[in-house]
Amino acid sequence: MIRFGKVVGFLVVLSWVLMGCSSEEQEGVRIPPLPNMNEGFSTPKALEFLSRAIQQYPDLAENYQKRAEIYLQRSELDAALEDINTAINLKRNTGRYYVTKARILREKKQINEALQAAQRAEILNERNPDVYVLLADLYQRVNQLGKSRQYLARTLQINPYYGEAYFYRGMIAAKLGDTTAALVLFMRTRTLVPGFLGAYQQLSSIYYQQKDYLKALWFAREGLNYYPKDADLHYRRGLAFTHTAQVDSAYAEFNKTLKVEPEHPGANMYAASILFGVQKVVPALKHLRIVEKTSPNYLGLNFLMAQCLEYTGDDDKAMDYYLEEARENPANRKAVGGYWRTRRRQLTNYPYLRQEERYRPGLAVPDKTNGTAEGDTI
């Protein structure tokens, strides 16, 4: 989870440069002048400045690390990782470089590698609340909860108002099934760090699981005030709206999710289901094809795909999907009925298939539909 704010302020970049100047000037290296401060110093300007500096002085590790942090903030993770690896190759025993690398790898969901980088940073004497909380997060992600607790305890001994530490204590409580404690800890994080994204995501998620949909909607909405393009919060609002019979609002939220993450499997599935419900089958199939490509085992995919294909008259393909669903879930009577229904219709319409034995093999679950198959129409 990235916690660098929306933009890199010019004061932060200025401090980087000034610190770099003091050390580099001692070595007799001339640093390029800062841009005109009256122009502001937005992230693009910081990137441009650092890129120029790197071109002129390619052996200064510090600039690669600074640029890696900006790339991390912009979610350009491959570029960030390349820069921080270059910095480490130039100065291998600099602990804060490994901290940056751990954060990048965490965002890339390479958790074991991120943990190794954070451990290396600690060995190199990077020992402060930020590093302890990073280690605590990584340890809880690999389910080493005892070690995670130890680092959180160290953090709170140093700073009892460190809000992010309460968040990871909440994550541990949630993993252990203590949702009451988790809610208290997430609320504490929200109080101490009002813009902490994870707190809103977890609060919305827990209240949704508890079927308190109004609170789930409220916390997701509050989080979107800080992160208006967060796919997870839009998705959670969509889920809550589906359970409060606000279908149009749910569909709008799922579309907002897909604008940020076009391959989000859950948002694609729910969007397809809503579209199928209003008989817009062709766009529903487009969403389902995305899910099939990225998450082929997604729950309910085969059945909804079969329904859409049967609606378009493609009994042959529909039968394949009904068969797959019925084999995996024989208790789904509608899938079993759909298989037998499309199979009978295929054999009736194309009797020569029986002789050529090109029709699908019979399902182990017998046909108990008496010719109706849970209703011959969808």
Side-chain angles (χ1 to χ4, degrees):
M1 191 173 307
I2 302 173
R3 298 187 62 245
F4 292 95
K6 294 183 178 179
V7 296
V8 177
F10 89 83
L11 290 176
V12 176
V13 179
L14 177 58
S15 67
W16 282 349
V17 174
L18 292 178
M19 286 188 293
C21 285
S22 61
S23 59
E24 309 304 344
E25 284 175 354
Q26 290 173 5
E27 299 173 9
V29 179
R30 181 180 178 277
I31 301 300
L34 286 171
N36 185 345
M37 290 304 171
N38 293 329
E39 298 174 358
F41 209 25
S42 64
T43 300
K45 287 185 179 295
L47 276 176
E48 180 183 355
F49 171 74
L50 286 169
S51 296
R52 286 201 312 266
I54 286 168
Q55 286 178 352
Q56 191 168 359
Y57 303 103
D59 295 330
L60 299 183
E62 195 77 7
N63 287 334
Y64 290 100
Q65 189 261 346
K66 295 168 187 175
R67 193 170 68 172
E69 290 196 359
I70 296 176
Y71 280 135
L72 173 59
Q73 179 218 340
R74 292 159 60 97
S75 296
E76 298 178 32
L77 302 180
D78 290 337
L81 187 59
E82 182 179 354
D83 268 3
I84 199 60
N85 282 336
T86 302
I88 289 171
N89 287 335
L90 290 169
K91 292 181 70 174
R92 288 195 170 274
N93 294 323
T94 306
R96 67 179 180 280
Y97 295 176
Y98 289 94
V99 174
T100 300
K101 183 172 182 176
R103 287 174 174 150
I104 295 167
L105 290 169
R106 177 174 61 174
E107 290 302 310
K108 289 174 70 69
K109 297 184 173 19
Q110 297 175 223
I111 303 303
N112 289 325
E113 294 87 345
L115 181 56
Q116 290 173 7
Q119 289 169 335
R120 177 66 176 165
E122 186 183 22
I123 291 171
L124 293 170
N125 289 319
E126 285 294 314
R127 298 173 183 176
N128 56 65
D130 289 342
V131 176
Y132 292 153
V133 166
L134 175 61
L135 283 160
D137 177 25
L138 295 170
Y139 275 121
Q140 67 89 18
R141 292 193 189 210
V142 297
N143 290 318
Q144 295 189 41
L145 304 186
K147 287 188 175 180
S148 181
R149 284 198 187 99
Q150 290 174 9
Y151 282 103
L152 293 173
R154 290 187 201 176
T155 301
L156 293 173
Q157 284 177 350
I158 298 169
N159 181 2
Y161 301 103
Y162 199 103
E164 195 172 338
Y166 293 99
F167 174 78
Y168 293 115
R169 285 181 62 190
M171 293 295 291
I172 293 171
K175 283 189 173 185
L176 295 174
D178 191 349
T179 54
T180 300
L183 284 172
V184 171
L185 290 163
F186 293 143
M187 288 295 292
R188 183 75 183 274
T189 301
R190 171 176 164 270
T191 300
L192 294 171
V193 192
F196 192 79
L197 174 60
Y200 300 105
Q201 292 173 333
Q202 293 300 322
L203 286 166
S204 182
S205 176
I206 290 176
Y207 280 118
Y208 172 78
Q209 292 168 10
Q210 293 181 344
K211 300 183 179 181
D212 192 338
Y213 302 121
L214 292 180
K215 285 186 178 178
L217 284 167
W218 194 89
F219 282 111
R221 176 70 266 171
E222 187 178 16
L224 286 167
N225 290 333
Y226 295 97
Y227 303 92
K229 294 183 179 181
D230 184 71
D232 185 80
L233 291 173
H234 283 298
Y235 179 62
R236 296 192 184 285
R237 279 178 63 80
L239 291 177
F241 278 133
T242 61
H243 289 278
T244 56
Q246 300 180 67
V247 178
D248 290 341
S249 295
Y251 184 66
E253 293 294 337
F254 292 135
N255 274 331
K256 290 176 182 177
T257 301
L258 294 173
K259 284 183 180 178
V260 182
E261 293 185 20
E263 295 185 347
H264 192 291
N268 275 295
M269 276 293 296
Y270 276 100
S273 180
I274 291 170
L275 289 167
F276 177 74
V278 294
Q279 300 181 358
K280 294 184 178 180
V281 178
V282 173
L285 279 169
K286 290 181 179 178
H287 287 291
L288 294 176
R289 295 296 185 197
I290 294 172
V291 181
E292 186 175 41
K293 179 181 177 182
T294 59
S295 304
N297 297 319
Y298 200 89
L299 183 65
L301 172 62
N302 288 326
F303 182 59
L304 187 54
M305 183 75 83
Q307 288 183 300
C308 289
L309 290 167
E310 184 179 2
Y311 191 93
T312 63
D314 194 343
D315 283 340
D316 191 46
K317 289 184 179 179
M319 188 167 62
D320 284 334
Y321 285 101
Y322 278 132
L323 177 61
E324 188 66 26
E325 173 67 18
R327 281 175 168 168
E328 292 180 0
N329 185 13
N332 186 342
R333 299 303 305 171
K334 290 186 178 181
V336 173
Y339 168 75
W340 288 113
R341 179 174 64 244
T342 51
R343 185 182 186 205
R344 280 195 306 272
R345 197 153 55 225
Q346 184 194 56
L347 294 178
T348 299
N349 294 335
Y350 307 100
Y352 64 87
L353 292 179
R354 186 183 298 275
Q355 283 74 35
E356 296 181 10
E357 296 184 352
R358 287 173 55 194
Y359 60 95
R360 303 299 182 271
L363 185 63
V365 179
D367 181 2
K368 297 180 180 179
T369 59
N370 297 322
T372 60
E374 305 268 344
D376 260 345
T377 58
I378 306 176

